[in-house]
Amino acid sequence: MGKSVFFNALMGSYRADVSNFPGTTVELTQGSFQGFRIVDTPGVTGLSADNEEERVAKQAVFEADRILNVVDAVNLKRDLFLTLQLAQLGKPMLIALNLMDDAARQGLTLDGKALENQLGVAVIPTSGRRGTGMDRVKTMIAKDGFSIPKPSTVHAPSSRELRLEADRLAALAIKRPGQRSSLSGRLGRAFLNPVLGLPLLTLMLTGIFLVFGKVLAQTVVGFTQTVVMGTWYFNWITGLLYPLLDPDSLMGGLLIGEYGILTMVPIYLLGLLLPLVTGFYFLISLLEDSGLLPRMAVLSDRLFTRFGLNGKAIIPTLLGFGCVTMALVTTRILGSKRERLIASALLCIAIPCSAQFAIILAAASFLTLPYLIVYSGAIALIFFVTGSLLNLLLPGASTDLFLTLPPLRLPAGGNLIKKTARKTRQFLCDTGFMFLLGSLIITVLNHTGGFTALHRLLSPLTQTLLGLPRETAALFVMSIIKRDLGAAGLYSMMQQGLFTQPQLTVALIVMTLFVPCFASLFVLWKEQGPAAAVLIWLGSFLAAFTAGGAASLFLR
Amino acid sequence: MKTLTQVQKGKWFKIRFIPDERIARQAIRIGITEHSVLLCLAKLPGGPVVFQLGIQEIAVGRRLAARIEVSSSWA
């Protein structure tokens, strides 16, 4: 935590994702500066290749010519251990004593010069967030102010001796120890209190649901989709092109038809998804930056151990609501291959991704309470069954929770906005292309009568098994291309009043559990291998139709 | 020998032995030695034990905590 902020401040642009918990950077981010190629590694506390992050960091450090060691001033004792390990490599080093603003706030006073004398390496106090000291870092890099650490500090061989040496250095450098602010400390502890923690969490999640369902979905989207895009924009674009195009021709269909590139794509993307996704990413960023995620990991540890995971798995799980594809990579923070596989399967099967989740929340807010309970019950059940089954069937044991909790803090507004904007832009780029492709495929299917055939072909599934209108077959095709596209289609069918309450419940269940998008499948294949990817893909098919069919029977 | 799960909330203690090698390695990195005096902050029912070292807060899963041997801080 803090290192990516530093990296961004150094490179002068927003490149790496930043959060208030370790594990945000799981891959290397690169940039160039004054002819140097600079590689941002995952933040680690040692070099012993205990997990994927450490392996990645270790490799990068071994390949590097020079090391810019970003030390967390607040956790000096901890980071001096890694510093001594790095010093043993005998490579030229420069130390940035980062988070000095946090240190000052806690009343922590540090003597950088003492460290400099002991280590024989320049130590520069910095704050990546405020930009203080960054000019000096840049000057030092430019004039190659890196130096090889003094040999006197690099003789210690065992980690015990390294620890004692790190403690000795810390004692020399810390002039006055700091204290965590009592408010942050007390609030942080309230979340860990068995009586207060869960209600606090429930309250928060309910708040999120209300903001989403009521304010964003019904008020904001009602305006952006129905009025701005659905009426003003639609009338303008069709008015412009109707004289030139026959809407019944293939070309007319492709451009301004029901699923057209100039009609459906911008209306769904900008009118419906943009406001929902922006709101959603803002919430996720808020959770990330406040330091609440690791506390949620502690609260949920007991639950996750039933699935052969530990509480840390809540981090990829929650990030999965943002984007399953990204979360599949984040599973690298988990301790074993077994845990990564279980978490990946849960992500692909039971976790809907951002736009889909936002739409589901919005749609669910139209459900009455009993149906809402059936819906959430079904999803929770599938999550539970999948996790427990995998834990039972997969050989081996999982690792235990051992987690350092960052302080709770009020997120910086600037970082929140930047992060939300970056994620939203990324979403529009990724999704935009798939939507264009989807629009193309669907229009051609529609024009050639393929859709009618498909509706008929899949009607045993849609009508008989699920009790849904046969047009929902189109949603499944859309979903395979891109889950959000299917979800947007579902939302618009719902707005047209094509679903009864039980039908909407069943449709939502099937869409939530339905197969991961192409991008996720690709990452899954890369990270877990073809066998696991295909099995998980088929598993989500099975889960979707079994749960949907059961719910449909139950509600009939 | 007492284990970490038996420490009461609000009590000070020292860690004597960590059976898991990987965890022992992580513990020593973040600054836990047999000399460190730790404070038990919270125990979730059936869940993790949270303790404090300096200004760091550390959570340990229940199963692991049951295998970590501790002693009173003055021992």
Side-chain angles (χ1 to χ4, degrees):
Chain A
M1 176 205 356
K3 203 168 50 54
S4 295
V5 183
F6 179 92
F7 183 75
N8 289 335
L10 182 65
M11 308 309 296
S13 67
Y14 199 81
R15 284 163 194 271
D17 243 347
V18 177
S19 311
N20 186 10
F21 66 90
T24 314
T25 310
V26 277
E27 284 186 316
L28 302 173
T29 317
Q30 303 196 5
S32 66
F33 177 79
Q34 304 259 355
F36 286 98
R37 189 169 67 102
I38 298 188
V39 179
D40 181 22
T41 69
V44 291
T45 53
L47 292 179
S48 44
D50 270 346
N51 55 26
E52 197 75 29
E53 293 173 277
E54 275 181 24
R55 272 188 284 278
V56 170
K58 194 174 174 179
Q59 188 63 30
V61 168
F62 279 158
E63 283 171 8
D65 300 319
R66 286 167 180 70
I67 298 170
L68 174 54
N69 179 11
V70 184
V71 168
D72 175 351
V74 178
N75 288 302
L76 187 64
K77 250 186 176 180
R78 184 194 70 194
D79 284 1
L80 279 175
F81 184 89
L82 174 68
T83 305
L84 290 173
Q85 276 193 329
L86 290 173
Q88 284 183 307
L89 300 175
K91 292 186 179 186
M93 194 197 287
L94 181 64
I95 294 178
L97 200 53
N98 198 32
L99 293 181
M100 285 302 275
D101 51 334
D102 270 9
R105 203 170 317 124
Q106 297 183 359
L108 171 68
T109 324
L110 294 174
D111 183 359
K113 274 278 173 276
L115 274 184
E116 211 167 276
N117 292 335
Q118 292 288 322
L119 293 164
V121 171
V123 175
I124 307 166
T126 59
S127 160
R129 208 168 348 173
R130 311 211 161 179
T132 41
M134 295 311 293
D135 284 338
R136 258 197 79 200
V137 174
K138 288 178 191 169
T139 322
M140 285 298 269
I141 294 177
K143 67 171 194 201
D144 198 6
F146 293 80
S147 46
I148 296 177
K150 272 188 192 166
S152 64
T153 56
V154 299
H155 68 278
S158 79
S159 58
R160 229 192 96 74
E161 280 170 281
L162 278 181
R163 176 76 270 155
L164 291 178
E165 175 67 2
D167 286 356
R168 188 184 70 83
L169 290 179
L172 283 174
I174 297 174
K175 292 293 159 210
R176 216 180 65 185
Q179 262 186 335
R180 242 180 220 192
S181 99
S182 59
L183 181 67
S184 145
R186 246 185 312 206
L187 197 63
R189 237 154 282 158
F191 271 98
L192 298 178
N193 184 309
V195 185
L196 284 175
L198 280 177
L200 262 175
L201 205 64
T202 317
L203 200 73
M204 243 173 45
L205 295 177
T206 316
I208 290 175
F209 178 74
L210 286 180
V211 168
F212 251 97
K214 300 294 168 198
V215 181
L216 258 181
Q218 294 181 1
T219 316
V220 178
V221 170
F223 179 70
T224 53
Q225 194 201 3
T226 321
V227 181
V228 179
M229 295 304 291
T231 311
W232 298 346
Y233 169 80
F234 182 80
N235 289 344
W236 174 75
I237 192 77
T238 45
L240 204 67
L241 294 177
Y242 261 154
L244 309 172
L245 282 166
D246 173 12
D248 290 328
S249 69
L250 181 60
M251 203 54 199
L254 277 177
L255 289 180
I256 52 170
E258 194 185 345
Y259 308 105
I261 290 173
L262 295 176
T263 45
M264 180 194 76
V265 173
I267 292 174
Y268 276 2
L269 211 54
L270 302 179
L272 176 60
L273 293 181
L274 184 63
L276 289 178
V277 166
T278 310
F280 186 76
Y281 281 141
F282 186 78
L283 283 171
I284 285 274
S285 307
L286 201 66
L287 273 183
E288 285 182 357
D289 286 11
S290 59
L292 277 172
L293 271 183
R295 283 170 179 80
M296 292 166 88
V298 177
L299 280 174
S300 59
D301 184 58
R302 190 182 176 187
L303 176 73
F304 276 105
T305 50
R306 288 172 199 269
F307 312 140
L309 296 167
N310 69 48
K312 244 180 154 178
I314 198 153
I315 294 174
T317 307
L318 273 176
L319 294 184
F321 284 101
C323 172
V324 169
T325 314
M326 257 159 45
L328 285 172
V329 180
T330 310
T331 57
R332 287 183 182 175
I333 65 166
L334 303 180
S336 65
K337 276 193 103 114
R338 181 179 196 263
E339 286 158 81
R340 290 197 64 196
L341 186 60
I342 298 177
S344 302
L346 285 175
L347 278 169
C348 287
I349 294 175
I351 305 291
C353 37
S354 63
Q356 200 194 7
F357 182 61
I359 284 179
I360 287 167
L361 272 187
S365 70
F366 288 97
L367 288 177
T368 53
L369 193 62
Y371 289 108
L372 200 59
I373 293 172
V374 172
Y375 168 72
S376 6
I379 303 299
L381 192 71
I382 289 286
F383 191 89
F384 205 86
V385 169
T386 310
S388 310
L389 261 182
L390 284 173
N391 186 28
L392 201 70
L393 298 176
L394 287 174
S398 296
T399 57
D400 294 301
L401 182 75
F402 187 86
L403 189 65
T404 315
L405 309 176
L408 272 191
R409 69 171 97 201
L410 210 61
N415 190 31
L416 279 183
I417 291 169
K418 270 192 217 161
K419 199 150 131 177
T420 307
R422 206 188 59 82
K423 287 184 174 183
T424 308
R425 196 163 52 233
Q426 185 71 39
F427 167 83
L428 284 180
C429 295
D430 292 352
T431 309
F433 175 74
M434 293 310 281
F435 267 39
L436 286 182
L437 192 71
S439 148
L440 216 74
I441 294 174
I442 297 166
T443 307
V444 171
L445 270 179
N446 197 27
H447 196 76
T448 55
F451 249 0
T452 333
L454 197 75
H455 288 164
R456 209 173 313 123
L457 190 73
L458 291 181
S459 74
L461 219 51
T462 47
Q463 285 184 305
T464 320
L465 178 69
L466 301 176
L468 297 176
R470 53 162 72 174
E471 289 74 28
T472 36
L475 300 183
F476 299 136
V477 178
M478 291 168 158
S479 265
I480 291 181
I481 300 167
K482 181 89 190 154
R483 282 177 120 181
D484 322 277
L485 187 59
L490 175 82
Y491 197 80
S492 111
M493 279 178 76
M494 181 194 80
Q495 283 175 321
Q496 292 163 32
L498 291 175
F499 292 122
T500 60
Q501 287 262 334
Q503 282 179 330
L504 182 59
T505 313
V506 172
L508 280 173
I509 292 174
V510 179
M511 295 303 279
T512 307
L513 299 173
F514 203 60
V515 295
C517 67
F518 276 147
S520 294
L521 187 65
F522 178 72
V523 173
L524 190 63
W525 190 291
K526 212 178 77 190
E527 300 274 323
Q528 301 288 339
V534 171
L535 277 177
I536 290 174
W537 202 78
L538 290 175
S540 55
F541 246 102
L542 195 72
F545 288 106
T546 315
S552 158
L553 266 177
F554 175 72
L555 292 172
R556 238 172 243 174
Chain B
M1 189 58 103
K2 231 161 93 168
T3 66
L4 183 52
T5 39
Q6 290 164 317
V7 177
Q8 283 174 318
K9 183 181 165 185
K11 294 277 192 250
W12 299 85
F13 64 97
K14 288 181 178 176
I15 285 185
R16 288 294 164 203
F17 177 66
I18 299 177
D20 185 317
E21 200 185 312
R22 200 177 60 94
I23 302 290
R25 209 157 44 219
Q26 280 186 25
I28 205 163
R29 285 178 188 174
I30 60 174
I32 300 174
T33 63
E34 65 270 31
H35 302 295
S36 328
V37 178
L38 312 166
L39 171 66
C40 179
L41 288 178
K43 287 167 79 177
L44 282 96
V49 179
V50 185
F51 61 85
Q52 187 175 348
L53 163 73
I55 54 161
Q56 290 185 91
E57 292 176 12
I58 297 137
V60 176
R62 178 65 58 140
R63 204 174 49 169
L64 176 64
R67 296 187 294 135
I68 293 180
E69 292 173 9
V70 301
S71 64
S72 313
S73 58
W74 35 264

